[in-house]
Amino acid sequence: MAGNRQIRALNVAEKPSVAKAVSGILSRNQARVREGRSRYNKIFEFDYTIRGQPIHMLFTSVTGHLMELEFDDRYRKWHSCDPSELYQAPVRKTVPQDKLDIKRTLQQEARSCQWLILWLDCDREGENIAYEVIEVCTEANRNMNTWRARFSALIDRDIHEAVQNLDRPNQSFSEAVDARQEIDLRIGASFTRFQTMLLKDAFHFDFATEDRNLILSYGPCQFPTLGFIVERYWEIQAHEPEEFWTINCSHNSEEGTANFSWMRGHMFDYTCAVTIYEMCVEEPTATVTMVRQQEKLKYPPYPLSTIELEKRASRYFRLSSEHTMKVAEELYQSGFISYPRTETDSFSARTDLRAIAQEQQAHPVWGPYAQRLMDPEADLWRNPGNGGHDDKAHPPIHPTKFSAGESGWSQDHHKVYELVVRHFLACVSQPAVSAETTVEIDIAGELFSACGRVILAKNYLDVYRFDTWGGSFIPTYMLGQQFAPTTLTLDSGVTRPPPLLSEADLLSCMDKAGIGTDATMHDHIKKLLDRFYATKDANTRFSPTNLGESLVMGYDDMGYELWKPYLRSKMEDDMKAVSLGTKRKADILASCLQEMKACFLDARLNKVKLFEAMGIFFDRTNRTGAEEQQTIGGVVRRCGLCQQADMVLRRRQDGKFMVGCLGYPQCRKVVWLPGSISEAAVTSNTCNVCSPGPVFLIQFKFRRLEIPPNYSVDHLGCIGGCDDTLRQLTEICGTGPRNPPGTSASVRGQAPTTTSGRQAPTTTSGRQAPTTTSGRNPASNVQRGVCSHCRQTGHSSNGCPSQVSTSGRARSRATNHTNGGSSVPCNSCGEPCELRTANTANNRGRQFYSCQSQECRFFVWEDTINDGGVGQNASHTNARGSNATSGRRGGRGRGRRGGGGGGRGNDTTFVSATGEPVSGRRCFSCGDPSHFANACPNRGM
DNA sequence: GCAAGGTC
């Protein structure tokens, strides 16, 4: 028991492993351990002397953040408020249920301590967690003296130095995180609620969701991640193959064959390539102009960070980043590898690297390599490179305990452990060495080169089996030597689109753009799969789903870059400024939220873009969410029926004004307003009669000609029941707008509860008629009279021709399959055309027929067929809105050659697609074997 | 039912 005067200090680390490690170092493994209330977070006790003062140390931990940011209860339910209110709704930080045990331990121990020493990780999040711990501890003991221990690695000297030089917590760092949390929460929740409520019931989604609760989430990290996938997918779709040309030369000698490649690379201009080729063929003697011999090194990788671990495990073993992290976490928990969430890719000079390598000498497979590494005579050891990243909290991932495999390990545990060990051994090894020979030759003024490589020492490649470095042979050449090429060919190739993004590519994109952290990137990727936004194929390559693509397309069509990484990057810059103290938290919060709220409101105004984009892929249902009604003002009052949500002023698409519950469709409370209103806006004035309050007054403007002369056009009214004027006008005018001439009342039908005009604004039951149930519902009149899809009369939306093709449209976009039923024959070859969907800025989603044969350049927009558009459009416009005669559909090379000014002879005369030697000497231009194109009499015609 | 960030 500590003496009366001895100070008791409560030490708190970010995770149990750090509490254990630091206690071990400070107590020289003499600490006593006891249980706390949380089974993971033990308490270590020992005595220690800080600057000559004996201290009794209690050392425990949290598990990451202790608190969560959330909206006040009033705003927690999805229908409780207009999502735009989430930009101002009050938020609070609370300790969630599963962290209450840790909170109780901290408070209990804090009561007996005078000092609080914070050992959280030395990054912004760590600083923020420090303040969470301070808040909880000072709640129990107001008089604690609070200190911050700053350490950069869990090694003796750092830890002792940290505790002897205690500092104070840095509020700016913590505030940067507070701002980040608040922005993420407000943006994420508002857009997620908006998107989900707008779209989830409005379309038939073609993917199976056992879980009825489809959530179309938006997040400042998940959307840019999706954006990378969609962008690459679009790049591939937009790719037009382009033919190019290259000249290759080979030479067989007694020693073997050398293959020389053209130093110009390739040319897209066939005529130009052929002219050069003809010059070479005319004077084919090759002269060696350079022979260079060089020693080349291939360096081992930098020490292993989390992102590199994820990327490499994906590349080498095709493990998902999420699974890799799960396995790595288990290896870490059981002590085989170091902490797996680290940005650091350089070892501290004080790490005993040799001891780590030494442990691996017993391994049956890579043990001999480790032994060689330890042997000074082998000269294999090398201090590892520095990748330039240091999170100041954790070392690079490395093995911490030898294992030749444990009985409980899965294949993947073996793989990840092997990767960590081999990577570490590679890092501390010499680079591989090769001798490379480069030979350059000149044929008729054109330069060609060939390269050979002999591996002199594999070094790290011996242990890092994942890296390869191929050798290649080249015969000996002397400077000035001349020879006749064995083959000299003009070969064609075609440009290819880039591949879909692999998981490693995606991680690189995120890393570069600062999306997520080492500990969360894999979560964002997994979330895209969970939300049906993207899929991953067997080669770990990602494609967007129709849902993911249409969401991005919708925002893109609005002109918003919500799906690009810039928003996150800007936020990250702001966070940095706050942590450095150059900007204030309140300022960046205000500006960012203001900007995002404006963006949100604008996106909501432009929601038709989202509908249009979704409509390309999915069939509409006839259900509408409350979001489809225009919210034109703020909250009028709390709903008296469900008592859970607000009533807001709305204007329906048919022009009717109403005050409806945000809980719709669960709560159908509605107050219909007079049909003679031209404008209405909620004011900040409240009614002092109606209760329960507050009931905000609405400023109305009525159409003069639709109200009796004794009523004023302007009226500040209350919907709470006290307003006689409003009630009278409702009775006089009814609640629907007047129909324009020519539109029958049955088409613009009013709800049964309102046509009589008997419903007073004070009606409390105020049930809105369901829009889908029975023939009594006038909404069905609308369906019968006018197609809700194409707005034409004469058929319902179910029988709408354009509607019928929607599902075909959706599929054809993804698969470009032929729409069998209604195909159009090619006007050139007569074969049925393929129905495809355009993906250009001007015509995205528009369908067109094109001939499957690349020879026929037949093309027609699907929506112009009935207008006789086949003949008109086919000849001059293709799906990308460009001129078809430029040959874009047929490939640029083909078009150039077909329509080129110089004419052409036999394409194959000088071309050897199979790589065979050139067949003969013949003019490219006229085909005459007596001369070459550059001397052709027809030249220039 | 929503975000992203910690970590078990």
Side-chain angles (χ1 to χ4, degrees):
Chain A
M1 185 70 192
N4 284 341
R5 287 196 178 170
Q6 191 180 18
I7 287 174
R8 286 167 66 89
L10 176 59
N11 295 260
V12 184
E14 189 161 321
K15 42 194 158 275
S17 61
V18 172
K20 186 179 177 186
V22 176
S23 298
I25 291 170
L26 294 181
S27 71
R28 302 193 193 284
N29 293 323
Q30 299 300 308
R32 285 177 288 122
V33 194
R34 63 182 165 90
E35 295 292 321
R37 284 169 181 265
S38 149
R39 55 191 274 242
Y40 300 110
N41 306 84
K42 317 270 183 218
I43 304 162
F44 301 88
E45 279 196 60
F46 53 93
D47 290 314
Y48 191 75
T49 305
I50 299 178
R51 299 200 166 200
Q53 189 165 14
I55 311 271
H56 185 68
M57 305 279 261
L58 306 183
F59 215 123
T60 187
S61 54
V62 286
T63 44
H65 276 286
L66 187 56
M67 296 179 162
E68 269 177 13
L69 191 68
E70 57 180 16
F71 291 110
D72 272 4
D73 290 342
R74 156 86 174 69
Y75 297 88
R76 297 279 283 284
K77 287 226 165 81
W78 276 41
H79 292 285
S80 67
C81 67
D82 183 317
S84 69
E85 286 183 59
L86 297 177
Y87 286 90
Q88 310 93 37
V91 288
R92 57 161 193 248
K93 263 188 154 187
T94 54
V95 178
Q97 205 67 32
D98 61 339
K99 299 282 176 78
L100 284 177
D101 279 345
I102 299 176
K103 175 183 172 177
R104 289 193 194 106
T105 302
L106 289 175
Q107 295 195 326
Q108 186 176 326
E109 302 301 332
R111 287 193 189 98
S112 70
C113 292
Q114 295 78 46
W115 283 18
L116 175 62
I117 306 179
L118 300 153
W119 292 83
L120 288 308
D121 291 357
C122 292
D123 53 22
R124 289 207 300 256
E125 297 294 333
E127 215 61 29
N128 190 263
I129 300 171
Y131 277 87
E132 294 173 357
V133 172
I134 293 171
E135 188 180 325
V136 162
C137 290
T138 51
E139 222 174 78
N141 178 356
R142 291 186 178 283
N143 302 317
M144 294 192 97
N145 194 352
T146 302
W147 299 100
R148 182 78 163 95
R150 297 190 195 281
F151 57 103
S152 56
L154 289 173
I155 50 178
D156 284 32
R157 193 158 75 178
D158 262 34
I159 295 302
H160 286 288
E161 262 175 31
V163 76
Q164 295 300 335
N165 295 287
L166 291 173
D167 196 1
R168 297 293 180 186
N170 181 333
Q171 188 136 18
S172 303
F173 269 51
S174 174
E175 285 186 343
V177 173
D178 283 338
R180 197 263 311 146
Q181 288 175 338
E182 196 174 325
I183 292 168
D184 284 347
L185 176 66
R186 293 185 190 280
I187 296 176
S190 58
F191 272 93
T192 300
R193 289 185 192 182
F194 160 67
Q195 284 184 173
T196 306
M197 294 194 285
L198 178 69
L199 302 169
K200 121 178 144 146
D201 293 324
F203 293 91
H204 291 292
F205 292 111
D206 57 1
F207 44 83
T209 43
E210 292 273 315
D211 178 9
R212 288 257 166 157
N213 274 337
L214 176 68
I215 294 170
L216 306 182
S217 63
Y218 175 87
C221 286
Q222 47 178 285
F223 250 56
T225 307
L226 174 62
F228 291 129
I229 295 171
V230 173
E231 206 158 39
R232 173 58 64 88
Y233 181 73
W234 283 349
E235 213 178 306
I236 294 167
Q237 281 198 323
H239 179 81
E240 295 175 40
E242 200 172 342
E243 205 164 12
F244 61 79
W245 304 89
T246 186
I247 304 174
N248 290 304
C249 167
S250 73
H251 177 227
N252 295 343
S253 68
E254 286 175 5
E255 286 182 64
T257 302
N259 292 307
F260 292 88
S261 49
W262 197 16
M263 288 179 74
R264 286 182 197 267
H266 54 254
M267 275 189 169
F268 289 102
D269 190 310
Y270 179 73
T271 311
C272 191
V274 162
T275 306
I276 295 171
Y277 175 65
E278 285 175 349
M279 284 162 33
C280 293
V281 171
E282 206 166 10
E283 297 173 39
T285 304
T287 308
V288 177
T289 56
M290 192 202 76
V291 177
R292 186 177 56 214
Q293 288 191 315
Q294 262 186 323
E295 190 180 85
K296 283 268 173 83
L297 300 178
K298 185 175 173 66
Y299 281 92
Y302 291 123
L304 195 57
S305 64
T306 302
I307 296 167
E308 276 303 311
L309 172 68
E310 290 172 2
K311 280 158 67 169
R312 287 171 191 265
S314 171
R315 256 189 244 130
Y316 306 150
F317 313 129
R318 299 191 173 182
L319 297 183
S320 74
S321 51
E322 189 252 340
H323 185 62
T324 298
M325 288 312 288
K326 186 169 173 284
V327 172
E329 178 68 25
E330 284 163 11
L331 289 172
Y332 161 67
Q333 294 292 341
S334 45
F336 293 101
I337 65 171
S338 63
Y339 190 69
R341 287 179 285 275
T342 175
E343 290 172 43
T344 311
D345 52 13
S346 60
F347 280 104
S348 148
R350 287 170 282 193
T351 312
D352 191 350
L353 299 171
R354 283 179 186 273
I356 299 169
Q358 206 158 11
E359 255 197 349
Q360 297 295 332
Q361 292 184 111
H363 197 276
V365 181
W366 55 74
Y369 184 87
Q371 288 165 23
R372 205 143 58 83
L373 205 49
M374 294 291 100
D375 177 5
E377 285 190 10
D379 199 20
L380 188 55
W381 184 274
R382 164 184 161 273
N383 281 331
N386 182 337
H389 301 93
D390 188 353
D391 64 16
K392 305 279 183 193
H394 308 287
I397 304 167
H398 63 273
T400 47
K401 188 160 79 181
F402 170 77
S403 175
E406 305 294 312
S407 57
W409 281 9
S410 69
Q411 290 275 316
D412 296 340
H413 287 84
H414 282 98
K415 286 176 183 165
V416 172
Y417 183 73
E418 177 183 351
L419 174 57
V420 170
V421 175
R422 286 190 188 269
H423 195 101
F424 174 79
L425 296 175
C427 285
V428 293
S429 298
Q430 291 288 349
V433 188
S434 77
E436 289 193 11
T437 306
T438 309
V439 178
E440 281 179 21
I441 57 171
D442 178 316
I443 303 174
E446 287 300 300
L447 295 179
F448 298 79
S449 74
C451 192
R453 179 189 296 140
V454 179
I455 309 287
L456 300 178
K458 285 184 75 178
N459 292 337
Y460 91 91
L461 288 173
D462 277 329
V463 72
Y464 208 57
R465 64 180 178 89
F466 318 111
D467 261 4
T468 53
W469 206 24
S472 56
F473 169 80
I474 188 170
T476 313
Y477 288 96
M478 307 294 286
L479 191 65
Q481 178 186 339
Q482 292 198 319
F483 60 87
T486 311
T487 66
L488 189 60
T489 57
L490 179 62
D491 298 321
S492 69
V494 173
T495 58
R496 290 171 194 280
L500 289 165
L501 284 184
S502 70
E503 186 144 8
D505 297 335
L506 190 52
L507 287 163
S508 296
C509 290
M510 296 170 76
D511 188 25
K512 218 185 234 171
I515 303 298
T517 68
D518 52 334
T520 61
M521 281 181 185
H522 64 274
D523 283 336
H524 301 312
I525 295 175
K526 183 167 182 292
K527 188 155 275 174
L528 299 184
L529 302 174
D530 291 345
R531 295 274 192 243
F532 306 103
Y533 288 170
T535 55
K536 184 164 74 165
D537 67 19
N539 290 322
T540 80
R541 295 196 177 270
F542 289 86
S543 308
T545 60
N546 289 340
L547 177 62
E549 186 183 356
S550 54
L551 284 172
V552 169
M553 202 186 274
Y555 286 114
D556 191 42
D557 288 345
M558 286 180 205
Y560 281 126
E561 296 192 320
L562 289 169
W563 54 283
K564 297 244 177 166
Y566 317 130
L567 173 67
R568 193 70 187 174
S569 302
K570 184 180 172 292
M571 268 173 64
E572 186 59 31
D573 290 344
D574 281 344
M575 299 307 109
K576 204 161 274 172
V578 172
S579 60
L580 294 174
T582 54
K583 282 189 184 173
R584 285 171 39 209
K585 170 188 152 188
D587 294 342
I588 68 126
L589 257 180
S591 70
C592 182
L593 290 175
Q594 189 186 17
E595 198 179 321
M596 282 311 295
K597 184 179 179 182
C599 180
F600 175 84
L601 293 173
D602 213 38
R604 193 158 67 177
L605 279 179
N606 284 305
K607 65 193 172 195
V608 64
K609 300 282 185 194
L610 278 171
F611 274 113
E612 284 170 1
M614 302 290 285
I616 294 173
F617 299 97
F618 304 105
D619 288 334
R620 280 295 299 264
T621 64
N622 52 10
R623 284 169 289 172
T624 54
E627 262 302 330
E628 273 205 81
Q629 295 163 347
Q630 191 79 43
T631 300
I632 53 171
V635 175
V636 180
R637 72 180 307 182
R638 193 76 172 153
C639 176
L641 186 62
C642 69
Q643 304 206 336
Q644 290 196 330
D646 287 331
M647 305 274 293
V648 293
L649 176 63
R650 292 198 140 137
R651 185 175 199 171
R652 289 198 348 177
Q653 285 179 332
D654 63 7
K656 281 181 191 174
F657 283 90
M658 62 190 231
V659 175
C661 178
L662 281 170
Y664 177 84
Q666 282 78 26
C667 175
R668 292 175 178 269
K669 164 83 172 168
V670 66
V671 177
W672 294 100
L673 295 167
S676 47
I677 298 169
S678 63
E679 292 169 34
V682 182
T683 68
S684 55
N685 303 324
T686 54
C687 177
N688 48 21
V689 176
C690 294
S691 66
V695 181
F696 290 94
L697 301 183
I698 302 174
Q699 182 67 52
F700 295 104
K701 194 179 256 309
F702 297 103
R703 281 183 286 269
R704 177 76 271 172
L705 295 176
E706 294 178 24
I707 56 169
N710 54 327
Y711 287 88
S712 166
V713 170
D714 296 302
H715 175 64
L716 183 64
C718 173
I719 59 113
C722 65
D723 189 336
D724 288 339
T725 306
L726 206 54
R727 183 163 53 227
Q728 288 156 11
L729 283 175
T730 306
E731 283 175 6
I732 293 164
C733 310
T735 55
R738 291 230 172 140
N739 297 315
T743 310
S744 74
S746 66
V747 171
R748 290 278 183 185
Q750 296 166 342
T753 50
T754 60
T755 42
S756 67
R758 277 182 285 108
Q759 188 199 21
T762 48
T763 304
T764 49
S765 66
R767 292 227 168 76
Q768 194 176 1
T771 52
T772 55
T773 47
S774 73
R776 283 179 60 235
N777 175 8
S780 59
N781 293 337
V782 176
Q783 300 291 332
R784 273 199 298 275
V786 179
C787 170
S788 65
H789 186 74
C790 69
R791 306 280 173 226
Q792 304 277 317
T793 53
H795 62 262
S796 71
S797 63
N798 287 342
C800 173
S802 56
Q803 185 83 315
V804 169
S805 66
T806 308
S807 58
R809 185 165 24 178
R811 283 192 295 276
S812 74
R813 191 184 168 79
T815 61
N816 280 336
H817 88 305
T818 305
N819 187 343
S822 56
S823 188
V824 166
C826 169
N827 70 357
S828 172
C829 69
E831 287 297 310
C833 290
E834 203 173 40
L835 179 60
R836 306 175 68 170
T837 306
N839 187 29
T840 56
N842 290 336
N843 288 304
R844 188 165 293 144
R846 201 173 166 197
Q847 291 189 284
F848 63 92
Y849 288 98
S850 67
C851 184
Q852 297 183 55
S853 160
Q854 293 198 333
E855 299 302 324
C856 310
R857 267 177 254 123
F858 175 74
F859 159 84
V860 62
W861 288 116
E862 186 260 348
D863 54 16
T864 62
I865 290 175
N866 293 335
D867 310 334
V870 175
Q872 291 166 19
N873 281 346
S875 62
H876 61 260
T877 313
N878 73 9
R880 293 178 171 92
S882 67
N883 194 316
T885 53
S886 71
R888 294 186 72 179
R889 285 193 54 74
R892 192 191 285 179
R894 192 181 302 278
R896 289 251 174 104
R897 285 187 289 144
R904 64 184 172 117
N906 181 352
D907 267 1
T908 58
T909 303
F910 298 107
V911 180
S912 163
T914 56
E916 287 168 14
V918 65
S919 59
R921 296 163 168 246
R922 192 181 287 264
C923 173
F924 156 74
S925 184
C926 69
D928 189 335
S930 67
H931 59 262
F932 285 110
N934 53 359
C936 178
N938 299 330
R939 199 177 180 198
M941 283 178 72

